[in-house]
Every structure is written in structure tokens, then in C-alpha cells.
Amino acid sequence: FRRENMAKAEEALVSMCEERARMIQDQFAVSVNHVHALAILISTFYYQKQPPALDQETFAYYTAKTAFERPLLNGVAYAERIIHSQREIFETRQGWTIMTMKREPSPMQDEYAPVIYSQETVSYIEAIDMMSGEEDRENILRARATGKAVLTKPFRLLESNHLGVVLTFPVYRSGLPEDATVEQRVEATAGYLGGAFDVESLVENLLRQLAGNQDITINVYDITNASEPLIMYGPQIPEGYMPLSHVSMLDFGDPFRKHQMHCRYREKP
Ligand code: WA2
């Protein structure tokens, strides 16, 4: 009988784990798809219209009305690429100084990525040079070199201090060929559209609604570096009934990053 019960318990764990992995992956994917569409919206209405048909008020309105399309993102923002020689003209036009993530006026850099448009839920990143944060900076460089959506490793987000990851899409000025070189991509970069996945609180909300939630513990890891898995969600020190666990694969759409979900019972089944 005991062996039969264990087999049943294992089967139940596998199905609960797979259900959760699929659910988080799907909510991630719909959020990414919608940010992709927003990047095209910026390119269309800000860069392909003369004069630009987009301002902070319009961006805030549109992103608030479509927030339901991005269920795992705490907000989206657009950071413009500013090279140093344009800094003074840019700051005069904006009426503010480019700031660092430490909220000090930015020292001189070759280039900056100050946020010019933001969803109201993340208005605290307005005017901040997103290249002044290590994780955001790496994302920006990789996004514009590849032309694809990219994700950071898990880290503590600004303001909430919650564990999450940042998503970045590059926005190019028009005329970039499909098979552009990295140099051409960098040259044509207009800015970066992205947002933060607040994994700690939004994934928690999602999982809380599922039946059987009380019985299992979930960990999500960034396993890009297989010998040094980084925790992305769940208790820092894995807890629960160790002998029985299940690993579900996760695909968040950035081939550079690998993720896994680990599930186990809180108590011996
Ligand atoms: N957005 C919100 N909270 C954050 C954050 C971020 N980055 N970084 C740290 N905490 C405008 O890649 C461009 C958003 C970055 C996009």
C-alpha cells in the first residue's frame, strides 16, 4: 500500500508542477508579446511621425489601459539612447538632469539611457539612466546587439526591492535591414522599451489561486550557469519533503537564459 501511495503522490506532484510551470510560462509569454507590440507602437508614433505623435501623457494613458495584457509586469517604460554630445540639448529640452539609480545627477558617460516615458506604476524610474544599473545595462547592450527581447538574471528591483527580472526590447530608427550587423544595429538604436517582472509578488499571487497550493513549495531558478543556479522565486533555503521532488522546464523566450521550476511537498505525503 505504501508504495502505491507514494506513486500516487508522485503523480500528483508532477501534474501540479507541470500545471504551474505552464501557467507561469504562458503569463510570461503574453506579457512579452504585448511589450513587443508596445515597442512597435513607439517606433510608429514617436519615430515615424513628424512631429512625434507620442508624449508622456499618451504613453501613461495607453499603458494603464492595456496593463491587463501584461499580468506579470509591474510596469513598462521607454528609455531613450542619448550619446554624450547630445546630453545638454536633451536635458534642456526635457527640463531635467539625467540621474543615476542612486538618484544623483549622472556623471559624464559615453552614452545614457534615461527614461522619458513611463507607466504610472513605475514613475520612479523617470529621468533615471538605466545604463547606471549593472543588470539593466547588460540587458540594454544585449538587446540592441541582437534585436531580440532579452532578460536579466534575477535581482532586487528598484523601489519594491522584490526579486524579479527585467525585460528589454530594442527600438531602432527606421530603415534597419533584416540582416543588419551588430554595428549597424547599435548605430540605428533609438532606445529601449522594457519593464520589470515582479516575480516575488506577481507569481505569488498567481500561485495562491491554485488548488493544492498549501501542499507544495515551488522554487524557480535561473540555471544559465549550471554550476551556480540563481534563485528567482520561492524560499531561499529550499524546504519541504526532500526525497520526492519534480523539476519542470521553463522557457521565458530568451535563448541566452535557462530556467527551471522545482516542486516538492511541504510534508511527507
Ligand atoms: N524597471 C522597473 N524597475 C526596475 C528596473 C526597470 N527597468 N530596473 C530595476 N528596477 C526601461 O530596458 C529598458 C526597465 C528598463 C527598461
Side-chain angles (χ1 to χ4, degrees):
F1 288 112
R2 271 184 55 83
R3 199 177 320 164
E4 242 169 70
N5 285 343
M6 283 308 270
K8 278 240 166 63
E10 177 159 25
E11 198 180 303
L13 184 66
V14 171
S15 106
M16 283 192 285
C17 203
E18 291 295 326
E19 178 193 16
R20 281 155 178 76
R22 228 176 308 116
M23 192 161 176
I24 288 169
Q25 192 176 292
D26 289 351
Q27 298 246 331
F28 220 89
V30 298
S31 302
V32 172
N33 285 345
H34 198 264
V35 176
H36 191 176
L38 271 176
I40 295 165
L41 180 127
I42 298 260
S43 156
T44 307
F45 291 99
Y46 190 53
Y47 293 107
Q48 295 181 47
K49 279 244 179 247
Q50 213 44 255
L54 190 60
D55 57 16
Q56 167 58 27
E57 197 193 358
T58 310
F59 185 85
Y61 179 85
Y62 185 79
T63 53
K65 289 287 184 185
T66 55
F68 70 93
E69 304 264 24
R70 306 177 300 272
L72 295 183
L73 285 165
N74 68 5
V76 288
Y78 180 65
E80 197 164 36
R81 178 179 189 221
I82 303 295
I83 56 173
H84 184 70
S85 61
Q86 304 168 334
R87 176 173 178 173
E88 216 175 294
I89 301 166
F90 172 81
E91 289 184 336
T92 305
R93 192 183 64 199
Q94 297 291 320
W96 43 253
T97 303
I98 300 174
M99 305 298 280
T100 67
M101 285 198 192
K102 291 179 178 143
R103 303 190 179 283
E104 291 155 348
S106 173
M108 186 192 149
Q109 305 286 348
D110 291 347
E111 59 174 308
Y112 314 84
V115 170
I116 58 168
Y117 299 142
S118 60
Q119 191 175 334
E120 263 168 72
T121 50
V122 292
S123 59
Y124 47 83
I125 62 172
E126 238 173 79
I128 292 183
D129 172 15
M130 299 316 289
M131 292 180 103
S132 67
E134 185 194 331
E135 295 84 0
D136 275 283
R137 179 190 177 84
E138 282 174 11
N139 237 30
I140 282 170
L141 298 179
R142 202 156 60 83
R144 74 185 187 187
T146 61
K148 302 254 161 61
V150 300
L151 293 172
T152 64
K153 67 181 181 214
F155 70 107
R156 301 255 156 220
L157 302 174
L158 291 171
E159 204 81 1
S160 70
N161 212 35
H162 288 166
L163 202 53
V165 297
V166 166
L167 165 73
T168 302
F169 271 97
V171 175
Y172 299 105
R173 283 185 292 275
S174 55
L176 186 71
E178 204 60 50
D179 60 348
T181 64
V182 171
E183 289 71 29
Q184 286 173 316
R185 289 190 176 283
V186 173
E187 175 62 30
T189 299
Y192 320 96
L193 183 74
F197 284 96
D198 185 330
V199 176
E200 189 167 342
S201 81
L202 297 177
V203 168
E204 178 73 31
N205 277 342
L206 192 65
L207 294 179
R208 217 184 10 233
Q209 298 164 18
L210 297 178
N213 184 48
Q214 303 308 316
D215 305 333
I216 60 173
T217 67
I218 308 281
N219 278 99
V220 177
Y221 296 97
D222 177 324
I223 55 153
T224 306
N225 179 352
S227 61
E228 193 202 341
L230 303 171
I231 199 149
M232 184 158 154
Y233 175 80
Q236 289 292 329
I237 300 150
E239 51 189 42
Y241 176 69
M242 302 306 278
L244 197 56
S245 70
H246 182 72
V247 177
S248 294
M249 293 319 241
L250 287 166
D251 182 356
F252 291 143
D254 178 354
F256 179 77
R257 300 235 172 255
K258 300 269 173 282
H259 299 91
Q260 265 182 0
M261 177 181 280
H262 291 211
C263 305
R264 50 175 59 86
Y265 285 105
R266 278 185 210 277
E267 280 157 25
K268 191 174 189 297

